[in-house]
Amino acid sequence: DIQMTQSPSSVSASIGDRVTITCRASQGISSWLAWYQQKPGKAPKLLIHAASSLQSGVPSRFSGSGSGTDFTLTISSLQPEDFATYYCQQANSFPLTFGGGTKVEIK
Amino acid sequence: EVQVLESGGGLVQPGGSLRLSCAASGFTFSSYAMRWVRQPPGKGLEWVSAISAGGGTTYYADSVKGRFTISRDNSKNTVYLEMNNLRAEDTAFYYCAKIAVAGSSGYGMDVWGQGTTVTVSS
């Protein structure tokens, strides 16, 4: 199984800050990586697919990069509505696996 | 509007069974593979099961293999998750999700339901 390791597990940031979350796969997954945002009591929301493609309707301050084993999600200027937990997920092979999540909190 | 709506969750004793349903609307259901993902209280996301667009191919997490069965009825735009021999560790919020791109599982899941709660306890 492919293990997905996210870091940090939590980050405190202020409005306007640039936030970067990393995700590492235990083996190469090409660009088959998705990022999700989840707010408390809500279903996950797809932000990025294929490592760097912005899902329709997602603000451009979100961006993804990477391929192979190392990936990043960047929020260029943190907004109040971005405080949430973020998950990466490899879509390269079954079993599908998620990272442990990164909680973005208000500083 | 593209949406999926789960139902069938509830409280069940260890060893019991439940069948979850996920009704889809707003898209050509028979063209998209579907997934079940769960989230234990206060914890992260765990993929549970997947089924191809036509229903002929299924996948399961090791933690549920042999106990859970995924199926779909494309005439009813519904996917199911039959859960048997339930354990306390199956307690979670269960989400149904649609893959983002028809014919390819590599693009993530773009439509999620609101979820249904499964509690396994005596």
Side-chain angles (χ1 to χ4, degrees):
Chain A
D1 297 2
I2 300 173
Q3 308 303 317
M4 304 301 293
T5 304
Q6 263 183 260
S7 61
S9 57
S10 66
V11 57
S12 294
S14 301
I15 303 300
D17 283 354
R18 182 182 184 89
V19 173
T20 298
I21 299 168
T22 65
C23 183
R24 175 164 288 177
S26 62
Q27 63 190 76
I29 59 170
S30 186
S31 295
W32 299 122
L33 185 99
W35 289 98
Y36 301 88
Q37 175 194 67
Q38 187 180 32
K39 297 181 179 180
K42 299 293 187 181
K45 174 187 176 182
L46 179 64
L47 298 176
I48 302 282
H49 59 81
S52 59
S53 296
L54 198 66
Q55 178 68 5
S56 176
V58 174
S60 58
R61 61 181 179 273
F62 290 93
S63 64
S65 65
S67 67
T69 59
D70 294 311
F71 302 87
T72 60
L73 173 70
T74 299
I75 310 172
S76 60
S77 177
L78 198 65
Q79 298 302 300
E81 59 269 31
D82 301 337
F83 292 97
T85 300
Y86 294 83
Y87 295 93
C88 62
Q89 177 236 321
Q90 66 84 11
N92 180 75
S93 60
F94 289 99
L96 305 179
T97 44
F98 289 88
T102 296
K103 187 173 184 179
V104 177
E105 300 174 299
I106 300 173
K107 192 171 186 178
Chain B
E1 182 187 4
V2 177
Q3 62 180 2
V4 296
L5 183 64
E6 305 92 339
S7 61
L11 173 63
V12 61
Q13 293 187 338
S17 299
L18 275 178
R19 188 175 84 154
L20 306 184
S21 299
C22 170
S25 60
F27 63 100
T28 306
F29 180 72
S30 59
S31 295
Y32 289 86
M34 299 293 292
R35 313 275 188 254
W36 286 96
V37 174
R38 68 185 181 184
Q39 186 168 34
K43 295 190 176 181
L45 300 170
E46 178 190 15
W47 169 76
V48 174
S49 185
I51 189 166
S52 62
T57 303
T58 57
Y59 301 91
Y60 299 94
D62 284 346
S63 58
V64 307
K65 201 172 293 183
R67 301 186 299 121
F68 289 14
T69 302
I70 191 172
S71 62
R72 65 190 294 160
D73 185 339
N74 285 347
S75 69
K76 295 183 178 179
N77 288 358
T78 301
V79 60
Y80 305 97
L81 186 68
E82 184 79 35
M83 304 186 295
N84 297 316
N85 192 19
L86 283 161
R87 306 166 179 167
E89 54 265 35
D90 295 318
T91 294
F93 215 58
Y94 283 73
Y95 293 103
C96 168
K98 160 191 168 292
I99 65 165
V101 176
S104 174
S105 61
Y107 293 91
M109 295 167 272
D110 67 337
V111 178
W112 296 63
Q114 88 292 346
T116 187
T117 299
V118 172
T119 303
V120 184
S121 174
S122 55

